[in-house]
């Protein structure tokens, strides 16, 4: 089947990747700067806060941003778009507050005075992530790009000031990042000339409750994904301490742009593939999945090789006596599978099969937890990356297998019911968006 990339989709991708690239570049530069300012313990704490931010973004995405993007994109009128925006925006605020409190509590367990500041950063970051997705769903890409630019400039200025003048650099950097995210939110709202609205009234609660049978599996999937993806950081920091995690974090952060770009791509492609699936263009969806998986897999491999050449140039006390080349190779073994299973996961989410996603990530989490714990007991911390890589490979193989099985069951047939293939209904999947309210 011929693969054609629509011009409007290309423009959206450029805008989304551009915004993510700015933020990624800022986070990259900040990590490099902190490597030379903070102790190994301090940098380990900063890395754990970034991990918690990633956890917050995953819950925001699974419980609010992904369903909001799909339902808002398929709503037939502005009232439907606004109603879903309020419902999921309220849920996003709750998730952001919960993640802020959890981060502050975790930092307090380590006796960190910067716990509240880290919580503010994670909460503000999570909330801005939802709002970016919601505005993309409204086709306001340019406003999001401007907001990303303002966030990047404000974040760079505020964190540079914090590093330069603050007595407690780590705490000041967390507050600076929180402020930069709030500034980005304000820019989004002002440029769009919209009023932030949240509602805990019965209609909003009922609307979210109707979607909960699907979203609960999405939430469970987010939990297992976080266990599967973040168990490395939590186990190494919990068993060996934040200082032992610092060298791994210092190398892994260089691969952070891959995860950020992949998230931007998922936010961009998911609504488009959902529309194609609603039209029963199964072959076209599957063709795009294979092509983009190949592009992202090769791109991540080339990027990883480039990082291997950069690593020896980085000098820091956090990397003292660390086998950075070995860590870099294992990092590549982790990130290439991640980039390769993005597309089958998108397909499973579009089909509403969050339960299967949860089962897949649960299997990966079990493999990862067991292998990482064993490797930490018998080898040095860098070897734990091998256990994480095995976990990602499990998810890769299972995601493609079940996505392919679903797509074969959904190949176009003449037997239809209510505008959807009966094979879809027999499979037990409920489309996330049907264009009806």
């Amino acid at each position: 089947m011929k693969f054609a990339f629509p011009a409007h989709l290309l423009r959206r991708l450029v805008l989304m990747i551009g915004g993510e690239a700015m933020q990624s570049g800022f986070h990259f530069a900040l990590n490099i700067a902190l490597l030379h300012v903070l102790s190994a313990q301090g940098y380990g704490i900063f890395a754990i806060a970034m991990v918690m931010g990633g956890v917050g973004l995953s819950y925001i995405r699974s419980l609010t941003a992904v369903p909001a993007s799909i339902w808002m994109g398929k709503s037939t009128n502005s009232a439907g778009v606004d109603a879903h925006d309020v419902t999921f925006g309220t849920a996003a605020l709750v998730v952001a507050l919960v993640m802020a409190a959890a981060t502050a509590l975790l930092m307090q367990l380590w006796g960190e005075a910067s716990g509240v500041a880290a919580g503010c950063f994670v909460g503000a970051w999570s909330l801005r992530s939802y709002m970016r997705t919601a505005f993309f769903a409204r086709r306001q890409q340019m406003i999001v790009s401007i907001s990303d630019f303002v966030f990047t400039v404000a974040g760079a200025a505020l964190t540079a000031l914090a590093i330069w003048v603050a007595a407690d650099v780590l705490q000041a950097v967390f507050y600076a990042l929180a402020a930069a995210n709030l500034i980005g939110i304000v820019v989004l709202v002002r440029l769009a000339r919209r009023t932030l609205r949240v509602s805990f009234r019965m209609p909003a609660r009922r609307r979210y409750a109707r979607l909960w049978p699907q979203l609960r599996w999405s939430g469970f999937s987010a939990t297992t994904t976080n266990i599967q993806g973040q168990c490395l950081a939590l186990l190494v920091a919990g068993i060996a301490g934040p200082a032992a995690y610092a060298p791994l974090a210092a190398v892994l952060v260089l691969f952070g742009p891959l995860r950020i770009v992949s998230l931007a791509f998922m936010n961009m492609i998911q609504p488009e593939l959902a529309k194609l699936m609603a039209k029963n263009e199964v072959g076209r969806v599957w063709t795009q999945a294979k092509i983009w998986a190949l592009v992202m897999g090769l791109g991540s491999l080339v990027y990883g090789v480039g990082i291997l050449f950069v690593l020896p140039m980085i000098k820091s006390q956090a990397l003292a006596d660390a086998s950075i080349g070995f860590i870099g190779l294992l990092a590549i073994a982790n990130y290439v599978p991640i980039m390769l299973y993005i597309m089958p996961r998108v397909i499973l989410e579009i089909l509403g099969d969050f339960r299967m996603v949860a089962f897949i990530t649960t299997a990966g989490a079990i493999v990862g937890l067991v292998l990482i714990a064993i490797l930490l007991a018998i080898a040095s911390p860098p070897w734990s990356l091998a256990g994480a890589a095995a976990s990602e490979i499990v998810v890769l193989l299972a995601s493609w297998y079940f996505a392919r099985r679903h797509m074969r069951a959904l190949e176009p047939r003449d037997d239809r019911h209510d505008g959807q293939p009966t094979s879809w209904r027999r499979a037990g999947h409920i489309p996330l968006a049907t264009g009806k309210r």
Side-chain angles (χ1 to χ4, degrees), residues 105-165:
L105 178 61
L106 180 63
M107 296 299 175
Q108 291 297 324
L109 293 177
W110 272 312
E112 281 296 317
S114 58
V116 173
C120 292
F121 157 55
V122 170
W125 188 14
S126 300
L127 186 59
R128 190 173 72 88
S129 175
Y130 166 77
M131 295 187 65
R132 293 179 73 254
T133 303
F135 277 81
F136 270 119
R138 291 177 177 274
R139 300 294 192 267
Q140 295 179 307
Q141 297 92 341
M142 185 57 68
I143 290 176
V144 177
S145 295
I146 295 173
S147 172
D148 290 341
F149 176 76
V150 173
F151 159 77
T152 302
V153 173
L158 292 174
T159 53
L161 183 64
I163 293 173
W164 185 261
V165 303

Side-chain angles (χ1 to χ4, degrees), residues 9 47 55 72 76 102 104 111 169 194 204 227 250 264 324 348 351 380 382 395 415 429 432:
L9 203 57
V55 171
M72 289 170 65
T76 56
V169 172
R194 301 190 63 83
I227 294 174
I324 56 175
L348 290 172
L351 296 177
S380 59
V395 175
D415 52 334
H429 306 308
L432 281 181

Side-chain angles (χ1 to χ4, degrees), residues 253-265:
V253 75
L254 301 180
F255 289 82
L258 291 177
R259 193 178 291 274
I260 293 175
V261 169
S262 70
L263 180 61
F265 183 80

